[in-house]
Amino acid sequence: MAAWGLRTTAIDYSAAALRLCRQRARRKSLELETRIMDLEAPDVDLGASRFDVVAVFNFLHRPLVPVLKRSVRPGGIVVYKTYTRKQLRFGAGPRNPRFLLDEGELAELFSEFHCLQYRESCEHEATAALVAQRP
């Protein structure tokens, strides 16, 4: 997103992951803010109507979804892609069902948003992907 000229904030629990993210951004002369944050903490807060775009990849913590929805400004976009329960067929990825979506669940989690694109696939990995706009 930073490469597209968007002001970008990368959030992760892992300092090492964020350090790598900053190094890659510097190599490409990209501006990037990083924040160490436990997104599974019960009091996590990303602010209200703060972001134009929120992107989540390979992460699922259902109690975070209302926080994410609140953090996107009206008219803003959520891009979300993570594993479904069908991932259990493959030898990689999460094994704990808490971290796997049921069929159609991602679309349901963002049902009050305007769905721009939704896809579930089970080719090399089993994922659900959503692009949705906050009304």
Side-chain angles (χ1 to χ4, degrees):
M1 287 189 276
W4 297 331
L6 299 173
R7 190 173 66 194
T8 304
T9 303
I11 300 172
D12 201 297
Y13 183 75
S14 168
L18 291 174
R19 188 170 35 257
L20 180 61
C21 192
R22 282 191 305 273
Q23 289 170 354
R24 288 179 177 173
R26 268 195 300 273
R27 272 188 251 141
K28 296 181 179 190
S29 301
L30 300 174
E31 290 189 35
L32 177 73
E33 175 188 349
T34 60
R35 291 175 55 195
I36 295 175
M37 184 181 293
D38 181 358
L39 293 171
E40 294 181 11
D43 61 344
V44 68
D45 185 9
L46 298 174
S49 300
R50 181 168 176 220
F51 299 108
D52 293 322
V53 179
V54 170
V56 180
F57 299 100
N58 300 333
F59 180 80
L60 178 62
H61 181 62
R62 289 169 181 87
L64 181 64
V65 171
V67 175
L68 295 172
K69 290 193 265 191
R70 183 175 165 269
S71 74
V72 180
R73 70 164 177 77
I77 301 291
V78 170
V79 178
Y80 205 122
K81 182 178 181 183
T82 197
Y83 297 104
T84 67
R85 289 191 191 272
K86 291 180 182 177
Q87 182 65 24
L88 294 172
R89 299 177 187 174
F90 300 95
R95 312 312 291 163
N96 186 332
R98 284 184 29 225
F99 307 122
L100 299 168
L101 291 163
D102 289 320
E103 189 172 323
E105 183 181 3
L106 186 58
E108 182 60 32
L109 287 170
F110 289 90
S111 62
E112 69 276 19
F113 279 40
H114 175 64
C115 182
L116 302 172
Q117 184 77 284
Y118 185 77
R119 178 177 181 211
E120 289 191 22
S121 107
C122 187
E123 294 165 13
H124 308 292
E125 61 183 9
T127 59
L130 169 92
V131 178
Q133 185 174 32
R134 181 178 173 185

